[in-house]
Amino acid sequence: MTPVRKMRTTRRTMTAGLAGLVGAALALTLAGPARAGETPAAPAPGVSWQPTPTGTDVRFRGLAAVDHRTAWAAGSRGTVLRTTDAGRSWRNVSPPGAEGLELRDVEAFGARGAVVLAIGEGEASRLLRTEDGGATWTEAFRNTDPRAFYDCVTFLDRRHGLALSDPVDGRFRVLSTRDGGRTWTVLPDAGMPAALPGEAGFAASGQCLVTAERGNGKDVWFATGGGATARIFHSGDRGRTWTVTDSPVPAGDPARGVFALAFRDRGHGLAVGGDYRTGQSSPRAAAVSSDGGRTWTPAGTPPPAYRSGVAWLPHGRTAALAVGPTGTDLTRDGGRTWRTVDTGSYDTVDCAPDGGCWASGEKGRIARLVRG
């Protein structure tokens, strides 16, 4: 079993008023022109990651940014936290009896609804759902096939969602829901290209399976590693049929490949990854696509090390953040060049439409992006 495995968040309703204005100003600050000789210290002048007190030391690889005040995080020991006050306090809303589960992804439908993914072989892979802010949980799916290992989950809209498993009988397995995660069905694999030997998904940040921030409710992508080539799969029909293309991110080892994707819209995508082992180099750890993932170009200046999470900044077209155990990187040119702006350890990052951006990782760490 690969040590690194995880999930991501749903899309939320655009928040109007002051929050939207703050988000737009933040995006403009981050997307401004880089200054020659600038010393990396924070994502931009006057902008930084602000840690929030979580009261726990678990590792949070699952993160869902609802807005600048509300977010969900899912992690080890079956832990789920939720904030509705911009991180000043976090409420433990973990599912009862989930202490033995490894939660790696969370998809949120606002402040009260969410779906979390537990990973692992056989029955360790589960999907749990809440409609009341985590006061009660329902087990919506439990995997009974010992060959399956689910890595990540995503929602195309409030009703349609998919979850991805490593290959079974030589093809990646996909679960589908049409009722907001209440029930799940394994999709036929006739439209799925064959997997490469050793190929798998990475449950490192909840971003191995994603939809577009501004999509049509049908497009979905997933990323792989472990095989001879790191590849990116695309479906334009909610997971029934798929195409696949090679990426320039190095693979050829169980610890290497593409760990996270982010699509700004149906055309513009980012891929980040590398080698997650400490001390191993990760050349060409980022790539960019402008044609919906049909082709990928390596970043001219990639992040200097392995990165497990990536997110576009709202209210802009060219700025994005990538995170990993050794730091945060910023691009201001759509992924062609990246600059390290923070050295804190984070596993995943997510931004809401109103400009609220959050990051989470090891030792109970959850932070939000702030000005001033």
Side-chain angles (χ1 to χ4, degrees), residues 19-208:
L21 295 175
V22 171
L26 173 61
L28 289 172
T29 301
L30 286 168
R35 296 180 295 182
E38 187 176 41
T39 300
V47 180
S48 62
W49 286 122
Q50 181 184 74
T52 64
T54 63
T56 181
D57 63 353
V58 306
R59 190 164 197 164
F60 292 108
R61 294 185 183 273
L63 180 65
V66 176
D67 54 41
H68 72 291
R69 293 181 58 84
T70 306
W72 297 69
S76 55
R77 303 202 295 268
T79 305
V80 180
L81 301 185
R82 181 184 66 125
T83 184
T84 57
D85 58 8
R88 287 189 291 274
S89 64
W90 289 87
R91 182 180 177 187
N92 188 328
V93 295
S94 303
E99 295 82 3
L101 298 179
E102 185 70 24
L103 304 180
R104 293 292 183 91
D105 203 353
V106 56
E107 295 285 326
F109 305 97
R112 295 184 62 79
V115 172
V116 298
L117 172 74
I119 66 155
E121 297 174 348
E123 293 192 7
S125 284
R126 306 178 194 182
L127 287 157
L128 307 173
R129 187 176 185 275
T130 183
E131 296 181 345
D132 53 14
T136 61
W137 292 86
T138 301
E139 183 177 290
F141 171 80
R142 181 181 297 206
N143 174 48
T144 58
D145 190 333
R147 302 169 298 172
F149 187 122
Y150 285 88
D151 299 303
C152 36
V153 62
T154 194
F155 275 80
L156 298 96
D157 53 42
R158 293 185 71 90
R159 294 190 300 119
H160 298 91
L162 300 173
L164 176 73
S165 166
D166 289 340
V168 175
D169 293 331
R171 297 179 190 275
F172 284 90
R173 176 170 288 183
V174 176
L175 280 179
S176 174
T177 181
R178 296 185 294 177
D179 56 11
R182 293 175 179 84
T183 60
W184 296 82
T185 305
V186 175
L187 292 179
D189 65 4
M192 177 70 69
L196 300 175
E199 190 175 23
F202 291 109
S205 60
Q207 296 175 331
C208 65

Side-chain angles (χ1 to χ4, degrees), residues 183-322:
T183 60
W184 296 82
T185 305
V186 175
L187 292 179
D189 65 4
M192 177 70 69
L196 300 175
E199 190 175 23
F202 291 109
S205 60
Q207 296 175 331
C208 65
L209 174 71
V210 302
T211 58
E213 300 294 324
R214 297 186 291 274
N216 62 357
K218 295 183 178 181
D219 287 288
V220 61
W221 296 261
F222 72 83
T224 75
T229 304
R231 303 197 295 173
I232 296 169
F233 291 67
H234 170 252
S235 173
D237 56 11
R238 294 182 181 145
R240 290 189 292 274
T241 61
W242 298 82
T243 57
V244 63
T245 187
D246 293 348
S247 85
V249 176
D253 184 278
R256 295 201 297 261
V258 175
F259 282 71
L261 298 171
F263 274 80
R264 188 184 77 216
D265 49 41
R266 295 180 64 196
H268 297 86
L270 301 170
V272 300
D275 189 322
Y276 71 75
R277 293 171 295 192
T278 302
Q280 296 296 310
S281 64
S282 293
R284 292 178 287 144
V288 60
S289 176
S290 59
D291 57 10
R294 288 188 292 274
T295 60
W296 292 85
T297 302
T301 304
Y306 158 69
R307 295 294 182 253
S308 54
V310 63
W312 290 96
L313 273 296
H315 306 289
R317 299 178 60 85
T318 60
L321 294 170

